[in-house]
Amino acid sequence: MSVDAHKTIIIGSGPAGLTAAIYAARANLEPLVLEGEPSSTSDQPGGQLMLTTDVENYPGFPDGVMGPELMQMFRDQAQRFGAELVTVRASRVDLSSRPFGVWVGDPEASEPTYRGETIIISTGAQSLMLGLPNENELVGHGLSTCATCDGFFFRDLEIAVVGGGDSALEEAIFLTKFASKVTVIHRRDELRASKIMQDRAFANPKIEFRWNSRVVEYCGDTKLSGVVVEDTSTGEREELSFAGVFVAIGHKPNTWLFDGQLPLKDNGYLLTEPDSSRTLIDGVFACGDVQDDYYRQAITAAGSGCQAAIDAERWLEANED
Ligand code: NAP
């Protein structure tokens, strides 16, 4: 049985997807938001802010706001204007013809679960993590993946950054504004980061390097108090105390759903037209971290969600027949 087409389907419910939902709902597009599933770490409802505690840089909250509380407000606002939110995970999309097909559950089913005249992709990205026990529980409690968001909490304290790429050094340099000392823990004796970033980090008196070291354990049950590192050549282990640890070993945009259907940038992020949310498929728009490898902030994601809804609305107007 064929399903009726929604004017717009939004896949993903972080700041980008829910801002797109608010704007699309207020434009009478009656958006359907597939918000993800709580069991999944990669596309849980609410996105990465659900793994954050205090958010102090989101405008409008002079006293800060908890990440999950902020996302609940986004949801409430979207629903107030009629956005329909369903707690499901898209398992397949077909962008080859309009209305586009979106499957939930069995991806082999002959008919899609939903059809949309337009699709707004806001599936976000995830920080790569070390995969150690207790990791999810400690995020927001001494363990972080965002120096811009959380650096402020570590004023005059000793912290560590894990990684050896540009992100790790950028985070380490930024964190020296707050911390008394920043130890970069890297698994090799050579950095992957660009020469210029290396020079800056080596010249910074607050940054120290711990070479050939793998983090093998987080210390602390409910609040991180340090890490155990293992020397990659000798296997020797040592416990190091830190008030905070920032994992900066790269990000992965959540694009698997669109493999082979939408072009990606060289680094794996979805390609959109410059200054627009348009993808290379007419009627398909992308916003937030799935297409942003540069700013990666909640507020920039929200801004791009607004752009995507306006782009979808104008596209529908222009293609009414
Ligand atoms: P990246 O270049 O892939 O570096 C990841 C780093 O994390 C590497 O040093 C890697 O170690 C380490 N790593 C990976 N998995 C690990 C694990 N399981 N345990 C311990 N260490 C692990 O990622 P990135 O630094 O996020 O940069 C991504 C891209 O963005 C790069 O092209 C980068 O140049 C660019 N970027 C540029 C700037 C800038 O120009 N200001 C800032 C940020 C990012 P190995 O070296 O041993 O593989």
Side-chain angles (χ1 to χ4, degrees):
M1 197 178 70
S2 181
V3 290
D4 290 341
H6 294 262
K7 287 186 199 135
T8 192
I9 296 179
I10 298 171
I11 308 177
S13 63
L18 290 179
T19 303
I22 293 166
Y23 274 76
R26 287 174 55 82
N28 288 337
L29 301 188
E30 297 158 5
L32 173 73
V33 183
L34 308 186
E35 61 172 359
E37 277 174 357
S39 56
S40 159
T41 50
S42 62
D43 59 0
Q44 70 198 308
Q48 296 175 83
L49 279 191
M50 297 301 284
L51 301 174
T52 315
T53 48
D54 290 296
V55 179
E56 292 195 324
N57 55 5
Y58 202 87
F61 296 90
D63 300 322
V65 58
M66 300 299 273
E69 195 187 333
L70 180 60
M71 292 325 298
Q72 186 57 47
M73 288 192 250
F74 272 71
R75 291 179 98 245
D76 293 346
Q77 196 171 350
Q79 285 177 314
R80 178 178 155 214
F81 296 111
E84 185 187 349
L85 273 63
V86 281
T87 313
V88 294
R89 187 170 195 252
S91 56
R92 175 184 158 199
V93 296
D94 178 3
L95 306 179
S96 63
S97 62
R98 287 199 302 268
F100 305 112
V102 181
W103 279 253
V104 165
D106 181 8
E108 304 300 328
S110 55
E111 275 296 312
T113 321
Y114 304 106
R115 284 192 183 277
E117 299 291 347
T118 60
I119 302 274
I120 295 177
I121 300 169
S122 49
T123 45
Q126 47 188 311
S127 299
L128 296 178
M129 299 300 285
L130 298 175
L132 298 173
N134 218 13
E135 192 160 55
N136 283 345
E137 291 75 14
L138 289 172
V139 169
H141 302 276
L143 185 63
S144 172
T145 53
C146 177
T148 318
C149 320
D150 298 331
F152 187 78
F153 301 117
F154 297 97
R155 198 171 281 280
D156 299 325
L157 296 171
E158 294 198 9
I159 57 178
V161 173
V162 183
D166 279 323
S167 293
L169 296 196
E170 194 172 65
E171 303 262 279
I173 293 165
F174 177 78
L175 288 165
T176 59
K177 290 184 190 182
F178 311 101
S180 54
K181 185 173 130 191
V182 179
T183 303
V184 176
I185 303 174
H186 184 36
R187 62 184 177 183
R188 293 187 295 137
D189 63 356
E190 198 185 348
L191 294 167
R192 180 177 296 278
S194 54
K195 178 80 172 60
I196 186 165
M197 293 298 279
Q198 295 196 25
D199 290 347
R200 278 185 208 156
F202 289 142
N204 191 314
K206 281 191 178 178
I207 297 181
E208 276 184 15
F209 287 85
R210 174 94 189 194
W211 302 107
N212 296 318
S213 297
R214 252 171 15 100
V215 174
V216 291
E217 194 181 319
Y218 295 121
C219 308
D221 292 332
T222 52
K223 190 173 184 318
L224 183 117
S225 57
V227 292
V228 176
V229 291
E230 183 181 86
D231 188 303
T232 54
S233 30
T234 64
E236 208 171 296
R237 291 187 171 198
E238 189 183 344
E239 185 172 330
L240 308 173
S241 294
F242 295 112
V245 170
F246 289 76
V247 178
I249 60 173
H251 287 85
K252 191 168 140 241
N254 299 321
T255 57
W256 64 271
L257 207 49
F258 316 102
D259 278 354
Q261 301 193 62
L262 280 173
L264 305 178
K265 299 184 212 173
D266 288 346
N267 58 9
Y269 285 73
L270 277 188
L271 184 66
T272 47
E273 286 179 18
D275 302 321
S276 155
S277 67
R278 282 191 300 269
T279 68
L280 290 201
I281 297 182
D282 238 11
V284 179
F285 306 89
C287 52
D289 283 15
V290 70
Q291 51 84 58
D292 174 14
D293 56 335
Y294 188 73
Y295 297 105
R296 296 190 195 127
Q297 300 300 305
I299 186 67
T300 49
S304 75
C306 158
Q307 289 176 307
I310 292 175
D311 287 343
E313 181 193 359
R314 292 188 181 159
W315 186 91
L316 281 165
E317 256 170 36
N319 293 273
E320 239 165 345
D321 51 333

